[in-house]
């Protein structure tokens, strides 16, 4: 809450009498003021005998002993004391009783008195600088001079100083302007007719315009029309102003959203599941809606959307609120499945392509994905495959070993190693697997929330990947069926729609080149890759599909080197039938 300082300006309302002065101090304290302000001067130091107000200054004079009495009374009432110094007599008094004083006011009429500013600055107290009526460039010069003399706080005090004050002369807009223009705190000191209701309300309006200090005249009885009566409030009026300002502080509050405001939002729309969601399942838009809910911790729609993608940490029931504690961000792992048992192209994973092993090229491209957390090479626990476990790429790739024939179990081992809830299957015979396509498929998988996402056949063989939700993979392995052909894992999902959801993605045009073969199975594949990587001068680094695309488009001869190599499972109808039969649950 922005606290405002309220100063009761006593000025000359004491009429030169100590009893009035002491009563005014007491009334200011009772009314709730934070401070009182005195004007210190002596008639013959302030003016010449021929000045029209000289005799008034004589009548208003209060001597040093009485001012000390007033200082002690103010301190007893726990009031700050601020002083207007008008002459050298007042300056000497200020020096003598500086320990009693909170700060000094430099009125607009003496703002250009360098002597007084220098003397006040030596007292090392905060300064209220009266700037009413002065132009910006004049204020700027005064501030520059003050800064040369002190680093103590300065508050600019704005307000129309004339009597009477017309409403059109107030210009509260200048408060905000001056505060921003000079980057100083701003206060307000007005001289509105005390009998006008605006005299109580103007300080409140000034507070909302940015004032942090309110200086207001106080008098015992305005009807007596003594000195400074016109713009002064009587004690009860002053208390009314204080009460309104304190209420304004409460209403202003601060920039924080408090608990009461937040509690009201309990009836706001929350994110609610439209179906049962299993642990590990992606929470996509087609599985939620927005409803009112009794769970005050439920995600608000925008918070939910800003936190996507999300994975369920536990089972979520239909109509249950989605709350932060039951969801997590996806952890994504690519598993490169590789062995050295190939008969058509022996130990193809270790064959150098322009000096870099084929499997290493595959791993480098997987590591280039922007959306993947881990890359794991999953091989068998047979001795013949042991060389593959050396491809850790300086610790960037993890390795696991498992059942030679059960690819699914090896993938699950990789998942347990990395804590993944999304896993991609890439075969190690794809040295040109595309990081761009991988990231695109991951994005589509998280949007759809399905069990498996894979590209259609419109892409170049060897550039894509299968994206699985881990809970769906675990579901497959828990089924009471023997799993054969797990190297063709996606067929189990495609052929059993009653158990699994599949999203076949049509890749963007820049990735659709089905006529190209970018997988390594036979000699012609090897020849094509070597020529491709040598011409591109690709060393120990990943290669983007866009680079390959541009090269093969300009060099169709290279693409044709292996264009007639058949794809075993696709081009042999007997093999394809056997795979489909084995992966379909009856």
């Amino acid at each position: 809450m922005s606290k405002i300082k309220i100063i009761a300006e006593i000025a000359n309302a004491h009429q030169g009498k100590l009893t009035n002065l002491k009563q005014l101090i007491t009334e200011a304290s009772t009314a709730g003021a934070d401070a009182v302000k005195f004007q210190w001067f002596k008639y013959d130091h302030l003016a010449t005998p021929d000045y029209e107000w000289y005799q008034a200054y004589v009548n208003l004079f209060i001597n040093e002993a009485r001012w000390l009495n007033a200082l002690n009374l103010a301190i007893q009432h726990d009031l700050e004391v601020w002083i207007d110094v008008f002459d050298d007599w007042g300056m000497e008094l200020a020096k003598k009783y500086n320990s009693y004083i909170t700060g000094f006011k430099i009125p607009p009429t003496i703002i250009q008195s360098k002597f007084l500013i220098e003397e006040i600055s030596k007292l090392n107290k905060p300064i209220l600088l009266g700037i009413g009526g002065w132009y910006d460039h004049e204020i700027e010069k005064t501030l520059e001079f003050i800064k040369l003399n002190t680093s103590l706080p300065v508050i600019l005090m704005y307000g129309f100083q004339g009597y009477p004050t017309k409403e059109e002369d107030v210009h509260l807009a200048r408060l905000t302007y001056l505060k921003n223009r000079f980057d100083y705190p701003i206060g307000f000191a007005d001289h509105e007719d005390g009998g006008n209701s605006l005299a109580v309300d103007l300080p409140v309006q000034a507070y909302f315009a940015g004032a942090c200090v309110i200086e207001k005249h106080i008098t015992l009885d305005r009807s007596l029309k003594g000195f400074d009566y016109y713009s002064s409030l009587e004690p009860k009026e002053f208390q009314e102003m204080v009460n309104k300002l304190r209420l304004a502080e409460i209403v202003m509050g601060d920039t924080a959203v408090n608990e009461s405001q937040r509690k009201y939002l309990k009836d706001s729309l929350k994110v609610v599941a439209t179906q049962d969601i299993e642990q590990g399942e992606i929470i996509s838009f087609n599985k939620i809606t927005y409803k009112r809910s009794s769970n005050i911790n439920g995600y608000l729609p925008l918070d939910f959307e800003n936190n996507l993608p999300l994975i369920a940490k536990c089972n979520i029931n239909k109509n249950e609120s989605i709350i932060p504690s039951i969801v997590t961000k996806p952890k994504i792992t690519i598993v490169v499945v590789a062995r050295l048992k190939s008969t058509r192209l022996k130990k193809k994973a270790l064959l150098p392509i322009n000096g870099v092993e084929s499997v290493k090229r595959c791993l480098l491209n997987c590591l280039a994905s922007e959306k993947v957390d881990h890359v794991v090479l999953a091989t068998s626990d047979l001795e013949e495959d042991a060389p593959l476990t050396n491809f850790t790429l300086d610790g960037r790739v993890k390795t696991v070993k498992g059942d030679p024939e059960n690819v699914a179990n090896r993938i699950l081992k990789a998942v347990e190693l990395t804590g993944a809830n999304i896993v991609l299957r890439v075969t190690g015979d794809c040295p040109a697997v595309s990081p761009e396509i991988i990231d695109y498929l991951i994005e589509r998988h998280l949007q759809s929330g399905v069990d498996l996402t894979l590209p259609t056949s419109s892409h170049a063989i060897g550039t894509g990947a299968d994206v699985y939700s881990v809970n769906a993979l675990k579901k497959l392995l828990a089924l009471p069926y023997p799993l054969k052909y797990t190297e063709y894992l996606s067929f189990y999902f495609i052929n059993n729609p009653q158990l699994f959801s599949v999203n076949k993605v049509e890749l963007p045009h820049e990735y659709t080149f089905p006529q190209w073969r970018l997988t390594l199975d036979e000699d012609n594949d090897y020849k094509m890759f070597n020529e491709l990587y040598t011409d591109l001068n690709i060393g120990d680094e990943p290669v983007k599909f866009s680079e390959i695309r541009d090269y093969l488009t300009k060099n169709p001869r290279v693409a044709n080197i292996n264009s007639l190599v058949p794809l075993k499972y696709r081009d042999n109808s007997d093999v394809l039938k056997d795979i489909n039969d084995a992966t379909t649950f009856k």
Side-chain angles (χ1 to χ4, degrees):
M1 181 172 67
S2 179
K3 176 73 173 173
I4 191 165
K5 186 190 298 294
I6 303 172
I7 300 175
E9 164 68 285
I10 290 178
N12 298 306
H14 50 70
Q15 313 304 323
K17 298 178 181 178
L18 178 60
T19 53
N20 289 345
L21 177 59
K22 293 172 71 174
Q23 188 177 351
L24 284 164
I25 294 170
T26 301
E27 293 288 0
S29 174
T30 302
D34 299 300
V36 288
K37 186 161 74 66
F38 305 138
Q39 292 183 355
W40 283 356
F41 59 85
K42 188 175 182 183
Y43 48 90
D44 55 349
H45 289 251
L46 179 61
T48 58
D50 62 340
Y51 183 62
E52 61 176 322
W53 290 99
Y54 184 82
Q55 188 56 47
Y57 296 155
V58 172
N59 297 337
L60 290 169
F61 178 67
I62 291 180
N63 64 32
E64 178 181 337
R66 291 181 174 181
W67 277 124
L68 179 59
N69 194 311
L71 289 172
N72 284 318
L73 181 61
I75 291 170
Q76 289 174 20
H77 283 290
D78 200 26
L79 291 168
E80 294 182 0
V81 175
W82 291 77
I83 302 296
D84 276 344
V85 176
F86 286 93
D87 56 27
D88 57 345
W89 182 88
M91 194 70 248
E92 290 304 312
L93 202 64
K95 292 176 183 178
K96 189 172 183 179
Y97 297 109
N98 190 31
S99 61
Y100 292 80
I101 298 168
T102 304
F104 293 91
K105 169 80 175 287
I106 301 176
T109 53
I110 64 168
I111 190 174
Q112 293 191 340
S113 172
K114 290 186 176 182
F115 167 75
L116 281 177
I117 290 176
E118 286 175 341
E119 291 299 303
I120 288 172
S121 297
K122 291 176 185 176
L123 299 177
N124 290 318
K125 292 292 173 69
I127 293 171
L128 302 176
L129 182 64
I131 57 172
W134 292 101
Y135 292 124
D136 288 6
H137 69 275
E138 296 168 324
I139 297 170
E140 195 162 17
K141 285 182 179 179
T142 301
L143 287 172
E144 288 173 359
F145 183 74
I146 290 174
K147 281 192 287 187
L148 290 174
N149 289 276
T150 181
S151 59
L152 288 166
V154 175
I155 298 174
L156 307 181
M157 293 298 293
Y158 169 73
F160 186 80
Q161 303 300 305
Y163 297 81
T165 299
K166 297 179 181 179
E167 283 76 6
E168 59 266 30
D169 290 332
V170 175
H171 291 296
L172 286 182
R174 190 156 171 77
L175 270 172
T176 306
Y177 166 77
L178 290 167
K179 180 181 178 182
N180 296 332
R181 166 71 173 78
F182 294 105
D183 196 26
Y184 276 85
I186 192 81
F188 183 65
D190 74 281
H191 292 86
E192 178 63 42
D193 179 357
N196 189 335
S197 62
L198 195 59
V200 170
D201 294 333
L202 259 183
V204 177
Q205 294 164 8
Y207 169 68
F208 284 122
C212 64
V213 175
I214 295 296
E215 178 189 306
K216 191 72 176 180
H217 282 269
I218 187 171
T219 190
L220 296 175
D221 186 348
R222 197 166 49 250
S223 67
L224 297 177
K225 298 186 177 182
F227 289 103
D228 288 334
Y229 81 95
Y230 178 83
S231 60
S232 297
L233 297 178
E234 295 179 359
K236 287 186 178 179
E237 295 167 336
F238 199 97
Q239 186 169 27
E240 181 186 0
M241 179 198 72
V242 170
N243 291 341
K244 286 188 174 185
L245 282 166
R246 298 307 177 206
L247 179 60
E249 289 175 335
I250 295 170
V251 173
M252 177 70 85
D254 54 35
T255 58
V257 177
N258 63 33
E259 287 303 314
S260 298
Q261 292 171 320
R262 196 68 184 170
K263 189 175 180 181
Y264 175 77
L265 296 180
K266 66 182 177 61
D267 293 327
S268 295
L269 294 177
K270 303 293 196 307
V271 178
V272 175
T274 57
Q275 62 185 64
D276 291 342
I277 299 174
E278 295 181 359
Q279 180 181 355
E281 191 174 338
I282 299 168
I283 303 174
S284 52
F285 275 111
N286 61 332
K287 298 175 185 177
I288 61 98
T289 190
Y290 304 139
K291 294 182 179 180
R292 289 188 174 185
S293 168
S294 60
N295 193 330
I296 61 173
N297 297 316
Y299 267 117
L300 295 170
L302 283 180
D303 289 341
F304 173 77
E305 292 171 19
N306 290 335
N307 277 282
L308 289 176
L310 292 170
I311 306 287
K313 289 168 62 176
C314 59
N315 291 339
I316 300 172
N317 297 322
K318 181 179 179 180
N319 272 329
E320 184 178 347
S321 288
I322 309 294
I323 61 176
S325 62
I326 63 173
V327 295
T328 186
K329 301 296 287 183
K331 294 180 181 178
I332 303 173
T333 293
I334 293 179
V335 179
V336 175
V337 180
R339 289 193 56 195
L340 297 176
K341 67 171 186 174
S342 174
T343 57
R344 287 177 290 174
L345 191 61
K346 290 188 177 182
K347 296 187 177 181
K348 60 184 179 181
L350 303 180
L351 291 177
I353 299 174
N354 195 30
V356 179
E357 296 92 335
S358 169
V359 72
K360 185 176 182 180
R361 290 209 175 277
C362 178
L363 294 168
L364 286 169
N365 274 20
C366 290
L367 288 168
S369 164
E370 296 179 357
K371 298 184 181 297
V372 169
D373 300 300
H374 297 284
V375 175
V376 179
L377 190 152
T379 189
S380 82
D381 51 15
L382 298 177
E383 186 63 29
E384 66 185 69
D385 291 324
L388 290 171
T389 61
N390 295 323
F391 287 90
T392 61
L393 277 60
D394 298 323
R396 291 181 293 162
V397 174
K398 302 177 187 297
T399 62
V400 295
K401 297 185 292 183
D403 190 316
E405 302 304 325
N406 195 324
V407 172
N409 275 332
R410 275 188 270 153
I411 292 174
L412 196 58
K413 273 193 170 186
V415 164
E416 291 168 351
L417 178 65
T418 61
N421 37 46
I422 304 293
V423 63
L424 286 79
R425 174 184 171 275
V426 172
T427 56
D429 54 7
C430 298
V433 63
S434 165
E436 305 105 306
I437 293 177
I438 284 173
D439 285 341
Y440 182 82
L441 291 170
I442 290 171
E443 187 175 327
R444 292 296 298 272
H445 185 75
L446 293 171
Q447 288 173 356
S448 64
V450 294
D451 297 321
L452 166 64
T453 297
L454 72 169
T456 64
S457 58
S458 63
H459 69 296
I461 295 299
T463 57
D466 298 340
V467 189
Y468 297 90
S469 292
V470 168
N471 67 316
L473 184 61
K474 290 178 177 178
K475 179 180 176 181
L476 171 66
L477 294 174
L479 292 173
Y481 300 105
L483 301 183
K484 187 181 177 183
Y485 293 123
T486 55
E487 65 267 38
Y488 302 108
L489 189 59
S490 63
F491 280 74
Y492 283 101
F493 290 80
I494 295 167
N495 290 331
N496 297 285
Q498 77 282 9
L499 296 175
F500 303 106
S501 55
V502 177
N503 182 24
K504 291 187 177 182
V505 174
E506 192 72 37
L507 294 177
H509 176 71
E510 60 265 31
Y511 304 134
T512 54
F513 295 86
Q515 71 274 24
W516 294 342
R517 175 183 166 85
L518 294 172
T519 186
L520 183 60
D521 276 324
E522 299 192 6
D523 283 333
N524 281 340
D525 297 327
Y526 186 48
K527 290 176 184 177
M528 185 277 300
F529 275 122
N530 258 316
E531 190 160 344
L532 168 68
Y533 278 81
T534 301
D535 285 356
L536 285 174
N537 194 26
I538 302 296
D540 195 356
E541 59 190 293
V543 59
K544 290 186 176 181
F545 180 74
S546 56
E547 297 175 73
I548 295 174
R549 179 192 64 215
D550 293 345
Y551 173 83
L552 291 180
T553 301
K554 294 176 182 177
N555 298 275
R557 179 192 59 80
V558 177
N560 287 331
I561 292 174
N562 65 340
S563 61
L564 297 180
V565 176
L567 190 61
K568 180 181 175 182
Y569 75 88
R570 187 186 66 187
D571 298 336
N572 188 319
S573 60
D574 291 336
V575 172
L576 184 58
K577 182 179 184 304
D578 193 22
I579 294 172
N580 279 322
D581 288 344
T583 57
T584 303
F585 300 133
K586 304 295 192 293

